[in-house]
């Protein structure tokens, strides 16, 4: 399994807009991607820092999403973002999601 960890800084008071946009526009795209397994997103206590972790069956499918769909996701979220998201990725070494 492979994971993408996206760190996002939101504009103030935009957490609910982010959540709505993510649920309505981004999740449907993710669910259509080959190899997509799961998504978890959480925010810090101030509501401006969000971490979104997506799980994929393998690196090739995660990279295909990153190269083909992710740029459109960033454009979709542009109104709520404060700066560019930071993406880290790597092999999952332990998970209870199967």
């Amino acid at each position: 399994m492979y994971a993408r960890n996206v760190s996002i800084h939101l504009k103030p008071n935009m957490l609910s807009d982010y959540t709505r946009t993510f649920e309505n526009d981004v999740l449907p795209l993710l669910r259509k991607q080959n190899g997509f397994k799961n998504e978890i997103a959480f925010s810090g206590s101030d509501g401006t820092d969000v971490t979104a972790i997506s799980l994929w069956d393998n690196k090739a499918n995660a990279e295909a999403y990153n190269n083909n769909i992710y740029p459109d996701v960033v454009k979709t979220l542009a109104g709520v973002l404060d700066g560019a998201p930071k993406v880290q990725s790597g092999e999952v070494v332990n998970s209870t999601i199967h």
Side-chain angles (χ1 to χ4, degrees):
M1 197 166 8
Y2 199 77
R4 295 180 76 251
N5 179 336
V6 182
S7 299
I8 301 165
H9 189 72
L10 301 175
K11 294 175 183 174
N13 302 312
M14 287 295 202
L15 183 58
S16 63
D17 290 354
Y18 164 81
T19 301
R20 183 174 44 260
T21 303
F22 194 86
E23 288 176 2
N24 294 334
D25 300 327
V26 177
L27 274 179
L29 289 174
L30 281 168
R31 289 183 175 126
K32 292 178 185 177
Q33 302 311 301
N34 287 335
F36 173 72
K37 297 294 185 188
N38 197 23
E39 176 80 19
I40 183 170
F42 57 94
S43 69
S45 60
D46 65 358
T48 59
D49 292 308
V50 173
T51 300
I53 300 169
S54 58
L55 298 175
W56 300 82
D57 63 350
N58 61 53
K59 182 178 180 178
N61 285 329
E63 288 181 345
Y65 165 77
N66 188 67
N67 295 332
N68 300 317
I69 304 299
Y70 181 68
D72 293 331
V73 168
V74 174
K75 288 177 190 174
T76 298
L77 294 171
V80 299
L81 299 178
D82 184 11
K86 179 182 174 188
V87 179
Q88 296 177 301
S89 57
E91 293 291 332
V92 173
V93 295
N94 191 341
S95 172
T96 59
I97 298 174
H98 291 95

